[in-house]
Amino acid sequence: DQAARKRRRRAARKAKAVAAGVRPAAGALRPAVQCCTQRYNAKTRYGKGFSLDELKAAKIAPAFAASVGISVDKRRVNKSEESLNRNVERLKEYVARLIVFPRKASKPVAGETSDKAALAAAAQLQGEIIPLAPKAAVEWVAITDDMKKSAVYELKHAKAVAAKEGKDRHAKDEKDEKKK
C-alpha cells in the first residue's frame, strides 16, 4: 500500500545517505554556465557537470572528481577562456575546503585528511556548496554632452526620430482621410 511504500522509500534514502558518509546535502558541485539564446545569455545558471578541460586545468582526475562530489560532463566543451577560468576557480575553492576521510585512520594516503581535529569537526554542509556570484548592480548615469556626441547615441537618436516621423505621417494620413 502507498503509505507503507512511502515509509520504506524514506528509510532506504536515509540508509543510503548514512552509507554515503558526510557529503553536501545539496548534491554534487556543478559548474557555472551561461544560458542559451539571445534572450537569456546574460543569465548564469548551474550546468550538468565540469568539462574535462576544466578538471585538467584544476589538476583533478575525472574519476577522483566523481568520487568526491564533483559532477563531470565529458561531452561539455568550453567556448570561452572566461568561463573556463571561472569554473577552475570554483573547483579550486571546493578542493581547498574538502575534507577527504582516510580509508585507514592509522595510515592516511596522500590527498586524505590526516588532521584528527578537522575530521572530528567535519559536518554535512547544508545549502548550496559554492553559490553563483550575485549579479552586478546596474549603475545609472546622467547622459552628458560628450555621450550625446558619440556615434552610438546619434544612431539611436536617429532611429527614434525616424520611428516618430513614421508614426506622425501615419497619423496625419488618417486625419486627412477622415476629413474627406
Side-chain angles (χ1 to χ4, degrees):
D1 79 87
Q2 190 179 9
R5 187 178 291 128
K6 181 179 177 181
R7 269 184 253 123
R8 201 165 50 241
R9 282 187 184 136
R10 187 172 182 188
R13 279 196 302 273
K14 194 173 183 181
K16 186 178 177 183
V18 169
V22 182
R23 287 178 171 267
L29 178 72
R30 299 197 179 272
V33 297
Q34 294 303 122
C35 293
C36 295
T37 74
Q38 190 174 4
R39 181 176 180 180
Y40 298 108
N41 66 6
K43 190 177 180 215
T44 306
R45 64 171 176 85
Y46 291 113
K48 184 183 186 299
F50 289 91
S51 70
L52 297 177
D53 290 336
E54 290 165 349
L55 292 168
K56 189 175 184 181
K59 298 182 177 103
I60 300 171
F64 174 75
S67 72
V68 293
I70 299 172
S71 58
V72 180
D73 184 3
K74 61 187 178 192
R75 296 169 298 180
R76 204 168 135 253
V77 178
N78 291 97
K79 293 181 181 175
S80 72
E81 199 69 31
E82 292 84 12
S83 69
L84 179 112
N85 293 336
R86 180 176 57 205
N87 285 322
V88 168
E89 288 304 311
R90 281 176 66 81
L91 286 166
K92 286 181 178 176
E93 185 183 341
Y94 180 76
V95 170
R97 294 183 352 186
L98 188 67
I99 298 172
V100 180
F101 283 79
R103 289 190 179 161
K104 288 186 178 179
S106 58
K107 285 195 282 183
V109 184
E112 295 177 341
T113 306
S114 58
D115 184 21
K116 293 194 188 314
L119 292 171
Q124 187 177 35
L125 179 73
Q126 298 297 323
E128 291 182 78
I129 301 168
I130 301 172
L132 296 175
K135 197 173 179 182
V138 176
E139 188 178 319
W140 296 97
V141 180
I143 297 173
T144 63
D145 291 333
D146 293 338
M147 289 179 186
K148 286 182 181 177
K149 290 176 187 171
S150 72
V152 174
Y153 185 83
E154 286 178 7
L155 184 66
K156 198 167 185 179
H157 185 68
K159 264 183 162 179
V161 167
K164 189 175 185 309
E165 196 174 275
K167 285 179 183 174
D168 289 349
R169 190 178 324 114
H170 183 70
K172 187 179 176 186
D173 290 346
E174 279 189 1
K175 210 179 215 183
D176 291 343
E177 280 185 25
K178 283 184 180 178
K179 282 184 182 178
K180 288 181 183 179

